Amino acid sequence: MVTRYSLFYNHLKNIEESEGGLDKFTKSYKTFGVNQLADGGIYCKEWAPGAEAVFLAGDFNGWNPSSHPYKKLEYGKWELFMPPEDGQSPVPHGSKLKVVIRAQNGALLYRISPWARYVVRDEDKVNYDWVHWNPPQSYIHKNPSPKRLKSLRIYESHVGIASPEGKVASYKNFTYNVLPRIKDLGYNCVQLMAIMEHAYYASFGYQVTSFFAASSRYGTPDDLKEMIDVAHSMGITVLLDVVHSHASKNSEDGLNQFDGTDSCFFHSGYRGNHQLWDSRLFDYANWEVLRFLLSNLRMWIEDYRFDGFRFDGVTSMLYHHHGIGTGFSGDYNEYFGLHVDEDALCYLMLANHMINTLHPECITIAEDVSGMPALCRPVAEGGGGFDYRLAMAIPDKWIQIIKELKDEDWNMGNIVHTLTNRRCEEKYIAYAESHDQALVGDKTLAFRLMDAEMYTNMSVLMPLTPVIDRGIQLHKMIRLITHALGGESYLNFMGNEFGHPEWLDFPRIGNNESYHYARRQFNLTEDDLLRYKFLNAFDRDMNKLEERFGWLASPQAYVSEKHESNKVIAFERAGLIFIFNFHPYQSYVDYRVGIETPGKYKILLDSDAGEYGGHQRLDHNTEYFSEQYPHNYRPNSIMVYIPSRVALVLHNMDIPK
């Protein structure tokens, strides 16, 4: 920990001494690439240490590869100034451009600038083209960003699939059709995947080619800015799924071999290639790579008004083995040693320090499966500086239980352990299923629970079959217990809230470039004859209840019961009592539940209610009076009726809320 902090401090000190401070260093996105000057001129700057010469070519000069040479500067940097022509920009808005690199072997390489803000692909082309984006009037944000949230309820989204239609959906569609839905469901944060430009749509956005460009397949940069602005007007925080763990191997329209060498932004040779992802790995010890990545984060915050980031692939960054073929048991030897990539960890510390210093209202999330200690502690303590980390063991546990165990064999203690096994004072984001489970070849929770019957028996006009009944009841219970017990934030991938049928499959050669499965059928929840409406309503009311009581921002729950034979779990959090009966057929009358606070209790949320597709076995007018009868190490207790496969949330009516 001392070594890590020393490395971080040395980097920070060098930035202050040689670059004029963190603010100036990370504002490089305003000078690198091709930038419009106030007088109409153009200033261009690139880092290409392996280049013999650098030129700018494009529509503006008839694609002459040598008429506009860059001037060579120190440390592999190159610059070009183009004065205005009759008071106008020499490079008009919408012009296509390329940086022309003369490599060490004399070859001319036509490249997209790593700092390009807008790239597009014509339908008849394979590669992307760089387009100079300088509209006469850029979008002006009208709404302030929401205040930093205490309880994060995250709706993980992909703009392109956010429509029932079989096509690539747009930023405009998301703005006017999806954001109102997210708001209605009670989510206060949207996490956007696949925004950073990626040439291969089926990569789910994780093979980035242009780091500073918002994906043009959904619309223009201004369309994205409007979408974020409208979200802010609804009080919705917007996070970007940022990919700084690796980059696409594309060279024609990506970062790979930008200057004609194997290195530049990446490690050369074996260390610069990810063996599973078939992608390039950044050299985080390189000064210009730090400038590039830190400036990238700042650009997304300041130009687009993103409110923070979910850092993808953090485990791959943290270790030289990238987590490949490695299990993590929690032994501290797994987190400290020569196998840890201290340069990558130092970069993450710098990134979080920069964000916390310049934009303290922003949020950062780490996607780390290893459990690296102190990743979510402040940098000043030697930690990684993240605000949250994903509780990645939880979705794996639910899938394992459903795949491998009969309902009678579910282990209550193991479920509780998985949901509560987190380091004190490090915040975790709980989620019942991941976006990867929605992809072709895997199954969502709903599809695993109900499978083929989702095609035939989800109509309310059909008899409720045992498979559909079980699936609907367990889907609600799994999501509620994950939400209430699993962390300090909650995440849901779009569509999973209502048990979206089938799988997610992007157009590719293997499916004849079909968009049939690359969509989200939100219309299913609007059909009053389908049972999807029940799951959708439960998800909405679950979020609304958290908004009212704030259990995610409360201390960890006190679990008073995890009864193996009865299949009952009971706990208290945020002044509420949560009771779950996972037994497949056994209901309990006058079941005693230990509680801390005496009083009169009533039901606030009942998964068995008719509006949620339940069997309506409980009277919501019932009042449960506590007894001064100790039970399960609690000073008081109440007696409740808890039917099979039902989750209840009770509130003390003597305490107003």
Side-chain angles (χ1 to χ4, degrees):
M1 297 290 279
V2 175
T3 303
R4 295 171 186 179
Y5 189 76
S6 298
L7 185 62
F8 159 78
Y9 179 76
N10 287 336
H11 274 320
L12 198 59
K13 184 179 178 182
N14 289 336
I15 289 171
E16 294 292 338
E17 293 177 352
S18 62
E19 296 287 345
L22 191 65
D23 180 52
K24 182 179 178 181
F25 183 63
T26 59
K27 208 180 279 185
S28 297
Y29 71 91
K30 293 181 178 289
T31 54
F32 277 74
V34 173
N35 298 277
Q36 195 73 51
L37 301 177
D39 65 358
I42 291 285
Y43 179 74
C44 311
K45 193 172 186 180
E46 299 293 346
W47 177 63
E52 290 294 318
V54 179
F55 308 89
L56 187 68
D59 294 337
F60 74 97
N61 68 352
W63 291 97
N64 187 321
S66 59
S67 65
H68 287 73
Y70 283 65
K71 175 185 175 182
K72 188 172 185 178
L73 305 175
E74 290 184 303
Y75 311 117
K77 299 188 186 74
W78 303 78
E79 71 173 0
L80 168 65
F81 172 69
M82 301 168 62
E85 298 175 357
D86 298 325
Q88 301 296 315
S89 171
V91 181
H93 169 64
S95 301
K96 290 185 178 179
L97 299 169
K98 283 290 176 74
V99 175
V100 183
I101 303 287
R102 183 188 295 153
Q104 294 172 358
N105 62 3
L108 289 182
L109 308 174
Y110 286 77
R111 299 291 194 241
I112 292 176
S113 169
W115 304 78
R117 298 296 192 88
Y118 189 53
V119 296
V120 299
R121 180 168 61 185
D122 296 332
E123 288 187 9
D124 60 341
K125 290 187 177 181
V126 174
N127 295 322
Y128 274 76
D129 289 316
W130 171 23
V131 175
H132 181 53
W133 184 260
N134 182 41
Q137 179 61 60
S138 293
Y139 184 83
I140 299 174
H141 293 268
K142 306 175 184 66
N143 301 284
S145 298
K147 293 182 179 179
R148 192 180 177 100
L149 299 168
K150 293 182 178 179
S151 294
L152 271 180
R153 301 181 299 277
I154 304 170
Y155 196 80
E156 186 180 25
S157 304
H158 186 293
V159 171
I161 66 171
S163 167
E165 300 179 62
K167 64 178 185 179
V168 178
S170 66
Y171 294 124
K172 292 284 188 182
N173 168 72
F174 200 94
T175 301
Y176 297 108
N177 295 324
V178 183
L179 283 176
R181 174 184 178 83
I182 294 171
K183 177 68 173 177
D184 178 67
L185 283 169
Y187 291 93
N188 57 12
C189 177
V190 59
Q191 179 179 297
L192 295 173
M193 309 171 62
I195 295 297
M196 302 167 78
E197 190 60 271
H198 49 293
Y200 186 41
Y201 188 42
S203 72
F204 225 168
Y206 292 120
Q207 291 275 345
V208 175
T209 44
S210 290
F211 283 73
F212 285 80
S215 182
S216 61
R217 55 171 55 87
Y218 319 128
T220 68
D222 282 358
D223 291 342
L224 175 58
K225 290 177 182 179
E226 180 192 26
M227 189 180 92
I228 294 171
D229 194 26
V230 171
H232 287 166
S233 74
M234 298 177 176
I236 297 174
T237 293
V238 185
L239 305 180
L240 174 67
D241 195 343
V242 70
V243 186
H244 281 183
S245 49
H246 64 129
S248 167
K249 272 190 173 179
N250 288 22
S251 55
E252 294 290 329
D253 52 8
L255 290 185
N256 192 24
Q257 299 179 353
F258 171 68
D259 64 354
T261 69
D262 182 49
S263 53
C264 197
F265 289 92
F266 311 106
H267 291 289
S268 60
Y270 179 84
R271 191 179 175 190
N273 293 276
H274 198 289
Q275 302 308 305
L276 287 185
W277 297 342
D278 193 31
S279 54
R280 298 304 312 271
L281 297 173
F282 288 106
D283 179 2
Y284 301 103
N286 190 296
W287 198 251
E288 295 305 320
V289 172
L290 292 178
R291 183 196 305 277
F292 178 79
L293 295 176
L294 292 173
S295 297
N296 185 234
L297 296 174
R298 189 166 179 187
M299 185 277 296
W300 289 113
I301 295 172
E302 296 183 349
D303 271 19
Y304 288 90
R305 304 288 178 89
F306 277 98
D307 303 303
F309 305 98
R310 178 257 200 195
F311 281 74
D312 180 71
V314 169
T315 304
S316 176
M317 298 174 69
L318 291 175
Y319 307 96
H320 293 299
H321 54 62
H322 309 299
I324 299 173
T326 304
F328 295 94
S329 65
D331 188 299
Y332 278 79
N333 290 316
E334 297 167 352
Y335 308 116
F336 303 95
L338 297 178
H339 56 287
V340 176
D341 190 335
E342 300 289 350
D343 292 322
L345 181 54
C346 181
Y347 160 67
L348 293 172
M349 295 169 72
L350 281 168
N352 282 307
H353 174 76
M354 178 202 73
I355 293 168
N356 291 333
T357 301
L358 301 178
H359 296 280
E361 73 283 359
C362 285
I363 297 164
T364 60
I365 300 166
E367 188 225 17
D368 170 43
V369 72
S370 75
M372 170 66 78
L375 197 61
C376 294
R377 295 302 302 162
V379 171
E381 296 178 5
F386 286 97
D387 296 298
Y388 296 89
R389 65 196 306 161
L390 292 173
M392 301 182 72
I394 295 175
D396 291 343
K397 174 56 63 177
W398 287 123
I399 289 298
Q400 181 223 340
I401 289 172
I402 293 170
K403 283 176 63 176
E404 300 177 5
L405 300 176
K406 296 185 297 183
D407 291 6
E408 295 87 346
D409 296 332
W410 285 26
N411 187 304
M412 300 297 103
N414 188 248
I415 291 172
V416 169
H417 173 75
T418 302
L419 290 169
T420 58
N421 183 28
R422 53 190 186 268
R423 287 192 172 86
C424 183
E425 297 190 11
E426 289 198 59
K427 295 180 180 179
Y428 284 69
I429 297 176
Y431 55 119
E433 50 190 327
S434 71
H435 59 238
D436 289 335
Q437 291 166 221
L439 290 171
V440 62
D442 207 337
K443 293 181 179 180
T444 63
L445 284 178
F447 215 43
R448 286 198 181 278
L449 289 166
M450 294 177 278
D451 215 350
E453 288 204 20
M454 296 187 79
Y455 295 109
T456 57
N457 297 327
M458 286 299 279
S459 170
V460 296
L461 302 179
M462 299 290 291
L464 183 63
T465 66
V467 170
I468 296 297
D469 185 25
R470 171 182 180 266
I472 287 177
Q473 310 318 325
L474 288 179
H475 191 273
K476 292 178 290 186
M477 295 180 70
I478 288 170
R479 298 175 81 76
L480 178 59
I481 196 171
T482 301
H483 201 309
L485 191 58
E488 289 71 38
S489 176
Y490 178 75
L491 178 142
N492 166 69
F493 178 64
M494 64 189 316
N496 286 350
E497 70 275 7
F498 64 86
H500 195 286
E502 300 179 324
W503 51 87
L504 180 61
D505 191 12
F506 289 89
R508 53 189 174 84
I509 295 175
N511 64 11
N512 296 318
E513 303 295 338
S514 171
Y515 285 86
H516 180 72
Y517 295 109
R519 59 192 179 123
R520 296 280 90 177
Q521 300 179 62
F522 297 124
N523 54 300
L524 296 176
T525 66
E526 297 158 9
D527 190 332
D528 207 44
L529 296 179
L530 295 178
R531 293 187 167 102
Y532 297 102
K533 64 179 182 180
F534 299 137
L535 299 178
N536 195 71
F538 183 79
D539 197 77
R540 179 196 62 222
D541 291 350
M542 174 178 68
N543 281 322
K544 297 288 187 181
L545 192 62
E546 197 289 326
E547 182 178 18
R548 180 179 167 191
F549 286 91
W551 61 67
L552 291 171
S554 299
Q556 281 201 35
Y558 183 92
V559 181
S560 61
E561 182 160 345
K562 38 190 175 181
H563 201 293
E564 296 302 341
S565 59
N566 291 345
K567 303 301 176 192
V568 171
I569 295 172
F571 59 88
E572 298 159 87
R573 192 176 188 187
L576 301 174
I577 302 173
F578 297 82
I579 309 169
F580 296 81
N581 180 6
F582 282 99
H583 204 289
Y585 53 84
Q586 185 67 58
S587 300
Y588 303 103
V589 178
D590 291 336
Y591 197 89
R592 188 173 294 279
V593 176
I595 59 173
E596 174 68 22
T597 308
K600 179 179 71 176
Y601 288 80
K602 291 192 73 172
I603 295 172
L604 287 184
L605 186 64
D606 168 21
S607 69
D608 202 40
E611 60 264 37
Y612 308 139
H615 299 284
Q616 306 178 69
R617 289 168 285 182
L618 288 153
D619 181 358
H620 292 187
N621 292 317
T622 302
E623 296 176 339
Y624 302 91
F625 292 91
S626 66
E627 302 176 49
Q628 197 171 350
Y629 186 100
H631 184 69
N632 285 339
Y633 301 100
R634 305 308 268 168
N636 302 284
S637 58
I638 56 174
M639 305 281 277
V640 300
Y641 170 45
I642 178 71
S644 62
R645 287 191 182 135
V646 166
L648 294 178
V649 182
L650 283 74
H651 173 54
N652 191 336
M653 304 307 292
D654 295 338
I655 302 175
K657 186 69 174 182

